[in-house]
Amino acid sequence: MSKVKYYYDPDTLSYRKIEPKKSRRYRNIALFIAGSALFGLFSLILLLNTNMVNTPRELSLNREVKNYELQFELLDKKMQQIEEVLANIEDRDNNIYRLYFEANPIPEEQRRAGFGGINRYKSLEGFNNSEMVIATTKRLDIIKKQMAIQSKSLEEIALLAKEKEKLLAAIPAIQPINNSELTRMASGYGYRSDPFTKARKMHRGMDFTAPRGTPIYASGDGKVTRADNNSSGYGKHIRIDHGYGYMSLYAHLSKYNVNKGQKVKRGDLIGFVGSTGRSEAPHLHYEVFKDKERINPINFYYGSLSLKEFENMLKYANQENQSLD
């Protein structure tokens, strides 16, 4: 309840009640309303510019931002994992696979190269987080490029492996007569005594003594280029072209089991031991050519002999005895 105010009237020697003027009352009311309005407006502005009060839309947008930040963190971790796996594959590719197949390693600068030319990220500029978005996009592009390079490299390695497999299958790598059917390894590669002239001459193959009719096997994959007796001294003989510069020759046969132009696999039966041509007794004369030059066949028996068997063969092959052809 508002206080009632009085004043002393000297004329009447008494206290009189002060009656406020209507104009002042209205002015006071107007000032109060104006002050209240200004205070309310100021408070509203202050609240809207602080985090104390958010509209539902702002709350929704804040949740979205938080979700995007979480997704970005997960994306960053996944990219790190991908980069680590790629680095491991690239290291093995350069230092194991490409080294084994004698292919040049892919340079690091080629694997990590960026993208030149026009600004491919211009559309991502001008936003609050443009720098982060552009950096992440660049990183993803480099990862994609690395994966494309690595994919092509592995395709190349697969082709090289296939070619290597063909090469390994083609090399004349087994003994053409089984040890169980072999009487003895009569003569090796090198200077030997000729059985007919007794003169010392170069023997450019290996002689395997075995009974007439003993099976003879192809020492590597290839194609039969000759199966005839039209070469001086060899009698009935077979020649197999293995590719990659390799050829094998099987001489003094009793009969053939293949024809000219026929493709054979390592271990296929191609003929039988005999003593045709310039031969002193039934045996197989075996030769290996590389780039049209005769080489010592003993270097190619890793596919069929144990260490002990190879050591015994090496011992007999190095004896300078008499050859059988």
Side-chain angles (χ1 to χ4, degrees):
M1 184 174 176
S2 61
K3 294 180 179 180
V4 179
K5 294 183 178 182
Y6 297 88
Y7 74 95
Y8 180 71
D9 186 354
D11 294 332
T12 61
L13 301 175
S14 62
Y15 287 95
R16 290 182 176 273
K17 187 178 179 181
I18 298 174
E19 296 291 344
K21 295 181 179 178
K22 288 185 179 181
S23 58
R24 181 176 291 181
R25 182 184 296 175
Y26 295 147
R27 185 186 63 186
N28 290 339
I29 292 172
L31 286 172
F32 176 78
I33 293 172
S36 299
L38 286 172
F39 179 78
L41 181 62
F42 176 77
S43 300
L44 181 62
I45 293 171
L46 184 64
L47 288 172
L48 290 175
N49 283 278
T50 64
N51 293 326
M52 293 173 65
V53 176
N54 286 317
T55 64
R57 178 168 174 72
E58 286 175 329
L59 291 171
S60 176
L61 288 173
N62 284 336
R63 281 195 298 269
E64 261 187 77
V65 169
K66 294 279 186 189
N67 183 51
Y68 285 135
E69 287 175 351
L70 177 61
Q71 293 299 324
F72 178 79
E73 287 179 11
L74 294 173
L75 176 63
D76 185 66
K77 287 179 181 178
K78 286 179 181 177
M79 286 194 295
Q80 284 181 358
Q81 291 171 350
I82 292 170
E83 287 167 341
E84 288 171 6
V85 171
L86 262 176
N88 181 264
I89 294 172
E90 289 168 353
D91 180 65
R92 294 202 295 183
D93 184 37
N94 273 353
N95 299 310
I96 299 178
Y97 309 141
R98 301 185 75 81
L99 190 65
Y100 177 79
F101 293 108
E102 300 176 352
N104 292 326
I106 299 174
E108 188 71 12
E109 55 271 18
Q110 183 179 337
R111 291 186 186 272
R112 300 285 182 272
F115 301 88
I118 61 171
N119 182 7
R120 57 194 294 129
Y121 309 107
K122 190 172 182 62
S123 61
L124 301 176
E125 294 176 352
F127 299 99
N128 290 337
N129 297 313
S130 287
E131 190 175 331
M132 180 184 70
V133 172
I134 290 172
T136 303
T137 307
K138 282 183 179 179
R139 195 171 162 195
L140 281 170
D141 284 344
I142 291 173
I143 288 173
K144 285 195 292 184
K145 184 178 180 181
Q146 285 177 255
M147 291 177 71
I149 291 172
Q150 188 56 54
S151 177
K152 288 181 180 178
S153 177
L154 290 176
E155 286 176 7
E156 182 185 350
I157 293 298
L159 290 174
L160 290 171
K162 193 173 183 181
E163 194 63 24
K164 192 91 169 182
E165 187 179 358
K166 287 181 182 177
L167 169 62
L168 293 174
I171 292 174
I174 65 169
Q175 187 175 286
I177 293 179
N178 287 335
N179 268 341
S180 59
E181 298 167 324
L182 185 66
T183 303
R184 66 189 178 95
M185 209 289 292
S187 182
Y189 182 93
Y191 282 96
R192 300 290 183 269
S193 175
D194 186 279
F196 299 102
T197 65
K198 306 304 179 184
R200 188 171 180 267
K201 61 181 287 189
M202 186 65 180
H203 185 245
R204 299 187 181 278
M206 296 184 75
D207 291 342
F208 296 92
T209 303
R212 189 184 303 273
T214 299
I216 299 169
Y217 304 98
S219 56
D221 294 2
K223 183 179 180 181
V224 177
T225 56
R226 289 185 67 170
D228 57 55
N229 62 352
N230 297 327
S231 189
S232 177
Y234 287 130
K236 290 182 178 180
H237 75 291
I238 294 170
R239 300 188 193 210
I240 299 175
D241 183 0
H242 302 281
Y244 306 97
Y246 290 99
M247 189 188 78
S248 57
L249 181 149
Y250 313 78
H252 311 306
L253 278 61
S254 60
K255 60 180 180 178
Y256 313 110
N257 195 54
V258 291
N259 298 310
K260 180 181 177 180
Q262 183 176 335
K263 289 184 178 180
V264 294
K265 293 285 186 183
R266 179 183 290 152
D268 283 355
L269 176 64
I270 58 172
F272 302 90
V273 170
S275 188
T276 57
R278 192 175 183 273
S279 171
E280 190 179 58
H283 75 288
L284 169 68
H285 176 79
Y286 176 64
E287 295 182 8
V288 173
F289 295 75
K290 178 69 169 76
D291 299 326
K292 299 183 179 180
E293 296 288 333
R294 290 180 177 89
I295 55 178
N296 193 343
I298 204 166
N299 298 320
F300 295 88
Y301 294 138
Y302 61 83
S304 60
L305 301 180
S306 67
L307 179 60
K308 187 174 182 179
E309 289 171 336
F310 183 77
E311 286 176 347
N312 288 333
M313 174 177 281
L314 193 62
K315 176 183 175 182
Y316 289 116
N318 287 332
Q319 293 178 353
E320 192 169 328
N321 53 7
Q322 178 179 291
S323 65
L324 295 176
D325 47 38

